[in-house]
């Protein structure tokens, strides 16, 4: 991925231009931003077992936090990034501390309420957030190598670094004691409490880490798009990210990446397909539904849920496990056959019989 901007690769129907051109680099950068966001949500849902409908609030906090820091505080880019991440962490700490008082569907509803409140605040404070028209990046505070179409390659590398950082943090959390406790809490919260541990603290820490990672993805989105709109805070975006994670496979890090990339590519290409002449020439009974990208997404999601309940990664993992199981069973059968052959040998060849048994 790091050398892709240096190559001249073409994928007709998937990528709009060769890989070294700004159009494709911008699309791939957007794929990596949403892959990072899906990874952060997978940490919340897959590891912590927390179904949140307000995760976009922290994505928007990173995007709007950076824009407000650059525009109203007049700070350079990197201090602005720090302010945005700290702001996202504080918001997550406050909202998470309240949301963690309940679990299950009530938890999802509380997070949804916080997301809706954040969306209202963004839309109503036009002097700070730009209101319905959104907020643009103050490019005077951004280094020149990250501004403009000519620097799309640098923005691509920046989003790639963000994706790698988010991935490494999720790996660290999943393999640490915190990750083990989070999964134990997901499976049996009562047993964790009986052991003298605090499920509340574990879930809150995972919640805050996932929110900060989402804020980092929001920072990358703000720079890549040169601005943001209120949808980046809405619950609709959280539902979109949830579809990405389910499509890729809940609980699989690489599945979240695949889901984020695949959904973003489909979102871009299906929009082009819906407005193409091929769809316009179809009979009305086909043209009307196929001209709506959301209809195509809905059909795809239903197919995945029905026929690939574990998502892409879960299905592949199950197939690999089955093949490994068949290999183990085949090895055991060969061992049994060898033992039977050893038993059939007469006593005149004890060394050969021992060798067969070994």
């Amino acid at each position: 991925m790091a050398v892709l901007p240096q190559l001249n690769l073409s994928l007709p129907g998937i990528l709009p231009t060769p890989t070294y051109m700004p159009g494709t680099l911008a699309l791939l950068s957007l794929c990596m931003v949403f892959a990072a966001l899906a990874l952060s949500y997978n940490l919340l849902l897959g590891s912590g077992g927390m179904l949140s409908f307000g995760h976009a609030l922290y994505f928007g906090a990173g995007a709007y936090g950076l824009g407000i820091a650059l525009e109203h505080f007049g700070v350079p880019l990197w201090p602005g990034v720090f302010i945005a991440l700290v702001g996202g962490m504080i918001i997550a700490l406050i909202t998470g501390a309240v949301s963690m008082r309940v679990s299950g569907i009530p938890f999802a509803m509380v997070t949804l309420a916080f997301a809706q409140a954040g969306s209202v605040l963004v839309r109503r404070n036009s002097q700070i957030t730009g209101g319905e028209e959104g907020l643009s990046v103050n490019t005077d505070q951004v280094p020149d190598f990250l501004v403009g179409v000519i620097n799309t390659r640098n923005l691509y590398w920046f989003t790639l670094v963000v994706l790698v950082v988010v991935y490494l943090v999720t790996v660290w959390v999943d393999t640490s004691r915190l990750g083990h406790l989070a999964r134990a809490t997901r499976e049996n919260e009562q047993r964790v409490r009986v052991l003298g541990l605090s499920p509340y603290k574990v879930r809150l820490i995972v919640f805050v880490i996932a929110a900060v990672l989402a804020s980092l993805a929001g920072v990358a989105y703000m720079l890549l798009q040169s601005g943001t709109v209120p949808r980046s805070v809405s619950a609709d975006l959280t539902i979109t990210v949830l579809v990405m994670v389910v499509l890729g496979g809940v609980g699989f890090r690489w599945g979240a990446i695949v889901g984020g990339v695949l959904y973003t590519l489909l979102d871009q290409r299906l929009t082009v397909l819906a407005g193409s002449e091929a769809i316009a020439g179809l009979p009305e009974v086909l043209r009307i539904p196929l001209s709506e990208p959301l209809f195509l997404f809905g059909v795809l999601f239903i197919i995945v849920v029905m026929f690939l309940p574990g998502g892409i990664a879960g299905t592949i993992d199950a197939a690999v496990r089955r093949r490994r199981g068949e290999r183990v069973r085949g090895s055991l059968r060969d061992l049994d056959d060898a033992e039977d052959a050893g038993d059939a040998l007469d006593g005149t060849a004890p060394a050969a019989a021992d060798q067969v048994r070994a």
Side-chain angles (χ1 to χ4, degrees):
M1 292 294 291
V3 300
L4 197 60
Q6 310 292 340
L7 304 178
N8 184 8
L9 301 178
S10 297
L11 294 175
I14 299 177
L15 299 179
T17 60
T19 52
Y20 69 91
M21 298 188 69
T24 292
L25 292 178
L27 175 58
L28 293 177
S29 301
L30 190 62
C31 288
M32 289 188 289
V33 168
F34 284 111
L37 181 58
L39 266 175
S40 68
Y41 191 81
N42 183 68
L43 180 64
L44 195 66
L45 179 62
S47 299
M50 292 174 278
L51 176 63
S52 171
F53 288 155
H55 197 60
L57 175 63
Y58 314 109
F59 179 80
Y64 275 100
L66 177 62
I68 292 172
L70 298 181
E71 179 69 25
H72 298 284
F73 297 164
V75 299
L77 174 62
W78 305 118
V81 170
F82 178 76
I83 292 173
L85 296 181
V86 172
M89 181 181 67
I90 294 174
I91 294 173
L93 190 60
I94 296 173
T95 57
V98 176
S99 303
M100 294 298 166
R101 298 296 177 181
V102 292
S103 60
I105 298 301
F107 171 81
M109 293 299 100
V110 172
T111 57
L112 175 62
F114 279 124
Q116 292 299 99
S119 180
V120 170
L121 289 175
V122 166
R123 295 175 188 274
R124 296 295 178 87
N125 290 277
S126 57
Q127 294 182 349
I128 299 176
T129 63
E132 294 286 349
E133 297 183 359
L135 182 65
S136 299
V137 172
N138 184 0
T139 55
D140 294 337
Q141 306 296 335
V142 180
D144 293 337
F145 69 89
L146 291 176
V147 178
V149 177
I150 194 173
N151 292 312
T152 305
R153 182 178 301 178
N154 296 331
L155 288 168
Y156 170 89
W157 282 321
F158 177 78
T159 55
L160 178 60
V161 170
V162 168
L163 177 59
V164 171
V165 170
V166 172
Y167 180 81
L168 292 178
V169 172
T170 56
V171 170
W172 171 74
V173 172
D174 283 337
T175 56
S176 67
R177 184 172 182 268
L178 174 64
H180 295 314
L181 287 175
R183 287 189 293 274
T185 302
R186 179 194 64 194
E187 298 298 330
N188 195 325
E189 182 176 343
Q190 185 64 32
R191 179 172 294 180
V192 173
R193 188 176 288 108
V194 168
L195 292 175
L197 303 172
S198 176
Y200 176 85
K201 291 181 180 179
V202 171
R203 294 173 62 201
L204 181 59
I205 293 173
V206 172
F207 186 91
V208 172
I209 292 175
V212 172
L213 295 180
S215 297
L216 181 59
V219 166
Y221 179 83
M222 186 69 173
L223 290 175
L224 180 64
Q225 301 293 100
S226 297
T228 188
V229 293
R231 185 180 181 273
S232 63
V233 190
S234 68
D236 293 342
L237 180 58
T238 302
I239 301 301
T240 300
V241 178
L242 175 60
V243 172
M244 294 177 185
V245 174
V246 173
L247 178 63
V250 178
F252 295 90
R253 287 185 295 271
W254 69 271
I257 296 176
V258 170
V261 171
L262 183 60
Y263 186 98
T264 307
L265 287 176
L266 287 174
D267 184 36
Q268 298 291 323
R269 304 316 297 170
L270 289 179
T271 303
V272 175
L273 177 64
S276 64
E277 296 181 358
I279 298 297
L282 293 175
E284 184 176 354
V285 67
L286 295 176
R287 184 183 70 252
I288 293 178
L290 293 181
S291 61
E292 296 291 336
L294 288 179
F295 173 81
L296 301 177
F297 273 122
V299 172
L300 175 63
F301 187 68
I302 292 173
I303 292 174
V304 169
V305 171
M306 290 183 63
F307 299 102
L308 302 175
I312 296 173
T315 303
I316 294 176
D317 181 71
V320 171
R321 289 178 181 273
R322 282 196 300 270
R323 291 194 61 180
R324 288 177 179 174
E326 291 174 358
R327 290 177 182 175
V328 171
R329 287 191 293 269
S331 299
L332 292 175
R333 284 194 298 267
D334 293 341
L335 181 60
D336 291 339
D337 293 341
E339 290 178 350
D340 293 340
D343 293 339
L345 293 176
D346 56 13
T348 59
D354 292 340
Q355 184 177 5
V356 171
R357 289 190 181 91

